[in-house]
Amino acid sequence: MEKIQPRSLYLEVADRIRDLIERGTLLPGEKIAEKQLCESFGVSRTPLREALKVLTSEGLVENLPNRGSRVVRLTRTGVQNTYDVMGALEGLSGELACPNITDAELARVRKLHQRMLEFYRRKEIKPYFEVNQQIHEAILAASHNDVLIEMYNNLSQRVKRVRYSVEMGEDNWAQAVSDHEAMLEALEARDGPRLGAILRQHLRHKLEVAEVSGIIDA
Amino acid sequence: MEKIQPRSLYLEVADRIRDLIERGTLLPGEKIAEKQLCESFGVSRTPLREALKVLTSEGLVENLPNRGSRVVRLTRTGVQNTYDVMGALEGLSGELACPNITDAELARVRKLHQRMLEFYRRKEIKPYFEVNQQIHEAILAASHNDVLIEMYNNLSQRVKRVRYSVEMGEDNWAQAVSDHEAMLEALEARDGPRLGAILRQHLRHKLEVAEVSGIIDA
DNA sequence: CTTGAGTATTATGAATTCAAAATGCATTCA
DNA sequence: TGAATGCATTTTGAATTCATAATACTCAAG
């Protein structure tokens, strides 16, 4: 039996706009023409404007009174700040995951980890990133804390554009893999504080990589 | 010369509704009658509905498709989860405040701390809570991390209703004051990790107090 | 009585309309 | 030439209208 899921139109529209921002179709700082988007989505302005308000409170869009909406421009310090918070949240996810993770979830993380190592050996960076992402999501989910998951996803969404353009050097890559080895160890040992510390450190590395690649700001 | 500040109507309405929720005029689980609120605010449904969407994405209100909006009902685990995340964020605020706090900001924290001690000695709980709150806000602000401040305030808003009804026993109170002494010491010593740890612990105490008072859930 | 079908009423979702503000453009004057 | 003023156009903000789904109510049947 299929479960029916009635979704509001404005949520659908919000998803679509999020996609456009993430994909770079809508660029940072670009003003959002309501009429145009309405036509391309085939909806009226009402649900579109509601969606824009949601995105505004999510921090993806800014709303200048009487002069419309723009995609928020990422600043260096803004991204830095976001990563700092994400680090704290990811640390917490590790701490909570250790006591709360189920056997099935742990098995899944192990499996993902092995798959990631395989991609690392083959130097297939694209699938490596995908699996890497899945591992972090799996740990986050294993925290079993809805609020944490919601907050993290929100921040993650904001900086997705940046991470997309990150280039990873061989040494950074090796460091990241090493971090992951330590993570799995701590998780197996159910050592929450240690896993938390590793995850915080791990994200710090990611940020350094992003900063080195210098794609932040216009 | 006075600076004019053009604010959107929907933001004004959102503020008003937040107030109603915080004050308990709108109760958890209560369905929000759009028409009625429109009349009492003197606005049309459009800005009101926009405001409701913002509050929904803030986690204060939930939106059931085709059957309107309700004030979210706080569950025990929901509050627990929120406090866990707030703890991580408050810990981060401490870590960041130590390197980033200005002399003026530090002086202000000292002053607030002294005032708080005075209220503790006089057992004036209401003003004690107010100053206490101000100290935490001052440290948060001293992190100089906008994203952190935004996230923390969001979560804080969600559980404000709970904290309002917390009763504090003498022993809990003494413990809280002791925590604050340690906080100020760590801050003066610019010991970020230590201040972070104290703040995390401090919030954990708060939650225990809230749980003991048993006002969560219906 | 209780249950359930069918209708009336109300509330919500979305499009449309109206008003006001901002933008762009042309003209004028220094 | 260039800045400023006034007008036309466009765009945004908010109210209104329309359509549809949910709720309340009535009344009949078991």
Side-chain angles (χ1 to χ4, degrees), chain B residues 42-106:
Chain B
V43 299
S44 82
R45 278 177 59 217
T46 307
L48 182 115
R49 301 183 93 251
E50 288 173 346
L52 286 175
K53 260 114 202 158
V54 170
L55 296 174
T56 297
S57 83
E58 283 175 10
L60 279 169
V61 165
E62 59 189 341
N63 229 284
L64 317 179
N66 288 320
R67 64 185 62 177
S69 306
R70 315 173 97 52
V71 180
V72 292
R73 193 185 292 276
L74 296 169
T75 67
R76 194 167 283 104
T77 58
V79 174
Q80 168 71 261
N81 287 343
T82 305
Y83 266 86
D84 281 346
V85 178
M86 287 176 75
L89 295 183
E90 197 147 356
L92 178 62
S93 84
E95 283 176 34
L96 294 176
C98 284
N100 295 335
I101 196 169
T102 67
D103 291 346
E105 287 171 328
L106 181 53

Side-chain angles (χ1 to χ4, degrees), chain B:
Chain B
M1 193 56 177
E2 179 99 11
K3 200 199 297 184
I4 59 156
Q5 191 83 295
R7 290 242 311 163
S8 295
L9 186 51
Y10 82 98
L11 289 174
E12 220 73 52
V13 173
D15 285 349
R16 295 280 295 271
I17 298 176
R18 254 187 238 105
D19 257 32
L20 293 180
I21 293 174
E22 195 180 326
R23 296 190 136 76
T25 310
L26 287 173
L27 292 154
E30 186 176 340
K31 71 160 168 280
I32 297 170
E34 294 182 0
K35 202 163 159 235
Q36 189 183 321
L37 273 188
C38 284
E39 281 165 17
S40 71
F41 290 160
V43 299
S44 82
R45 278 177 59 217
T46 307
L48 182 115
R49 301 183 93 251
E50 288 173 346
L52 286 175
K53 260 114 202 158
V54 170
L55 296 174
T56 297
S57 83
E58 283 175 10
L60 279 169
V61 165
E62 59 189 341
N63 229 284
L64 317 179
N66 288 320
R67 64 185 62 177
S69 306
R70 315 173 97 52
V71 180
V72 292
R73 193 185 292 276
L74 296 169
T75 67
R76 194 167 283 104
T77 58
V79 174
Q80 168 71 261
N81 287 343
T82 305
Y83 266 86
D84 281 346
V85 178
M86 287 176 75
L89 295 183
E90 197 147 356
L92 178 62
S93 84
E95 283 176 34
L96 294 176
C98 284
N100 295 335
I101 196 169
T102 67
D103 291 346
E105 287 171 328
L106 181 53
R108 193 174 120 76
V109 172
R110 274 197 215 98
K111 203 168 171 182
L112 288 167
H113 182 76
Q114 292 309 321
R115 204 185 307 172
M116 190 195 73
L117 288 183
E118 184 57 28
F119 287 129
Y120 173 59
R121 271 191 289 271
R122 296 197 217 153
K123 303 292 171 208
E124 299 182 39
I125 195 157
K126 191 88 185 257
Y128 167 87
F129 265 125
E130 271 164 35
V131 180
N132 184 315
Q133 179 78 5
Q134 287 176 338
I135 291 172
H136 286 280
E137 278 167 16
I139 293 175
L140 187 64
S143 73
H144 295 184
N145 181 324
D146 294 342
V147 179
L148 174 60
I149 293 169
E150 176 197 342
M151 291 286 122
Y152 188 89
N153 285 338
N154 177 7
L155 294 180
S156 171
Q157 182 74 242
R158 297 192 196 184
V159 293
K160 253 181 192 151
R161 281 168 288 166
V162 175
R163 272 191 285 169
Y164 259 79
S165 26
V166 165
E167 298 281 323
M168 197 179 241
E170 172 55 37
D171 44 350
N172 287 318
W173 199 352
Q175 175 66 52
V177 171
S178 157
D179 286 351
H180 270 265
E181 292 285 2
M183 279 166 43
L184 191 59
E185 272 175 43
L187 189 58
E188 302 269 12
R190 305 270 175 172
D191 187 340
R194 184 153 134 257
L195 179 53
I198 295 166
L199 281 165
R200 264 186 283 272
Q201 186 62 28
H202 183 63
L203 202 67
R204 206 160 292 149
H205 286 149
K206 272 202 220 168
L207 177 57
E208 279 164 21
V209 174
E211 289 208 308
V212 166
S213 75
I215 30 65
I216 300 166
D217 260 328

Side-chain angles (χ1 to χ4, degrees), chain A residues 195-208:
Chain A
L195 180 53
I198 296 166
L199 281 165
R200 264 186 284 272
Q201 186 62 28
H202 184 63
L203 203 68
R204 207 160 292 147
H205 286 147
K206 272 201 218 167
L207 178 57
E208 280 164 20

Side-chain angles (χ1 to χ4, degrees), chain A residues 34 45 49 66 68:
Chain A
E34 293 182 0
R45 278 177 60 218
R49 300 182 94 253
N66 288 321

